[in-house]
Amino acid sequence: MKKIITLLILMCSLGVMAQEYTPLVREGVKWNCVMRRVNWYHPELSFNHHYSIQIKGDTIINEVQYKKCYYIFEDKDEPSNVIPRAFLREDIENQQVFVLFNVDYKTEMGMYSLNYPEFGLLEEQMLYDFKNKKNSSPYWLMKYGSDWSIEVESLGMISLQNQVKEKYRLICFRNDYHYLSVELVEGIGLCLSTQKEGETFAGDLLTPYIDFYLGGDNTFPVFLNFEDAEGNIIYVAQEYNGIESVASTGKDAVEVGRYDLYGRQLSQPAQGVNIIKMSDGTTRKEMVK
C-alpha cells in the first residue's frame, strides 16, 4: 500500500511539472549546431562548420521588447558574430514565440540559406506555437502557402531542468501528401525535421524547415545540443561525428566505415546520402536510393 501511495504521489508530481510552461526565450541559453555544405557533384567542395545560436541582451523595436539572438561562428572575425541574426519575443500566456529577422545581418560564411528577404523589412513572424499545436501557423510552413493540415503525434516525455516535457511530432500534409515531419520540445524548439521521402535534414532554432536540392551546393543547419545559461548541456538532439576531409578514393582503398549526414555509423547502406570512409583516409559521398 505504501508503494502504491508513493507511486501515485510521484505521478501527480510529474503531472504538475508537465503543466508548467517553460519559456524558450531566456537569457544566455545556447543551441549548438553545425552548418553543413554539401556539393553532390564535387564532394571536395563540401565542408562542416560549427556554430552556436545564443540569446543575449534586450532591445526595443517599434515599441516592442525583444531578446537579441546571435549566430556565433567558430571564426571569431566573422562579422555576423557581433550582429544579431534575429530578435525574439515570447507570449508566455499563449505559449507562442515570435521572430523578427534582422535585415542588417550579414555573413561571409556563404550561409545564404540563413536569410529570408521575402519577408520584407522587420516583419514579425510566428516561430513556434506550443499551445495551439494542431492549428499552428509558423512562418516556416506558411511562407510556402496556407494549404497545410497538421497531425500531432506524442513521442513521449523527457526531463528538462527538473521538469517533465512532452516531445511531440507535427506531421504536415499538403494536398493529402505527407510532406514534412517536425519534432519539437517546449522550451527548446526544433529537435529534428524529416522531409518528403524520408530524408532527414535537421534545421536549427530559426530554420526548422529548409529547402534541400539533390543537385549542386546545399547549405543546411543541423541542431546538435542545447545548453542552459550556466553552460550545462541539458538536451542532446544529435550526436555528431565530424568528418574532416572529403577527397577522391584511390584504386586500392576499401571501405572501412559508413556514416549518415550526421556522422552516425551505419551497419549497411541506408537510403539517402551515405558518407563512406576509405582505408586510405579519404571519404566520399554516395547517394543510396
Side-chain angles (χ1 to χ4, degrees), residues 94-140:
N94 293 307
Q95 302 178 12
Q96 295 174 329
V97 179
F98 297 88
V99 59
L100 197 61
F101 286 99
N102 186 2
V103 295
D104 294 326
Y105 177 86
K106 298 287 189 298
T107 176
E108 296 177 358
M109 300 305 302
M111 310 307 179
Y112 49 82
S113 64
L114 294 181
N115 289 300
Y116 299 95
E118 67 268 27
F119 289 154
L121 299 177
L122 295 177
E123 181 181 346
E124 185 181 84
Q125 307 289 328
M126 180 187 289
L127 179 58
Y128 297 107
D129 188 342
F130 295 107
K131 188 174 184 179
N132 194 29
K133 299 180 178 68
K134 191 169 184 178
N135 297 313
S136 179
S137 55
Y139 82 86
W140 37 274

Side-chain angles (χ1 to χ4, degrees), residues 180-243:
L180 172 71
S181 296
V182 180
E183 296 178 14
L184 300 165
V185 172
E186 173 191 308
I188 294 178
L190 174 76
C191 296
L192 188 69
S193 64
T194 306
Q195 299 180 28
K196 299 180 182 178
E197 303 298 334
E199 295 288 354
T200 300
F201 303 112
D204 63 22
L205 173 71
L206 302 184
T207 56
Y209 177 17
I210 56 175
D211 290 319
F212 204 88
Y213 306 97
L214 291 180
D217 286 330
N218 291 270
T219 304
F220 61 95
V222 179
F223 169 46
L224 302 179
N225 55 63
F226 176 77
E227 290 185 24
D228 63 16
E230 287 71 44
N232 303 307
I233 295 178
I234 61 174
Y235 179 81
V236 176
Q238 301 287 328
E239 295 288 355
Y240 180 68
N241 175 19
I243 296 178

Side-chain angles (χ1 to χ4, degrees), residues 10-61:
L10 178 60
M11 291 175 65
C12 291
S13 299
L14 292 178
V16 170
M17 287 190 294
Q19 292 173 6
E20 183 179 347
Y21 178 68
T22 299
L24 181 148
V25 183
R26 48 200 196 274
E27 180 69 24
V29 295
K30 183 186 291 186
W31 291 260
N32 296 312
C33 311
V34 62
M35 187 66 68
R36 310 211 65 177
R37 184 171 183 178
V38 177
N39 188 303
W40 306 112
Y41 303 124
H42 301 284
E44 70 277 4
L45 300 179
S46 301
F47 67 83
N48 307 317
H49 198 89
H50 286 269
Y51 68 102
S52 298
I53 301 173
Q54 188 170 29
I55 296 176
K56 296 189 298 181
D58 303 297
T59 188
I60 295 178
I61 302 174

Side-chain angles (χ1 to χ4, degrees), residues 80-97:
S80 63
N81 288 346
V82 295
I83 300 173
R85 162 79 176 96
F87 309 100
L88 300 176
R89 74 173 181 89
E90 189 157 11
D91 181 342
I92 293 179
E93 181 179 355
N94 293 307
Q95 302 178 12
Q96 295 174 329
V97 179

Side-chain angles (χ1 to χ4, degrees), residues 54-69:
Q54 188 170 29
I55 296 176
K56 296 189 298 181
D58 303 297
T59 188
I60 295 178
I61 302 174
N62 298 330
E63 301 181 350
V64 178
Q65 184 165 335
Y66 291 89
K67 299 291 288 186
K68 298 177 183 178
C69 184

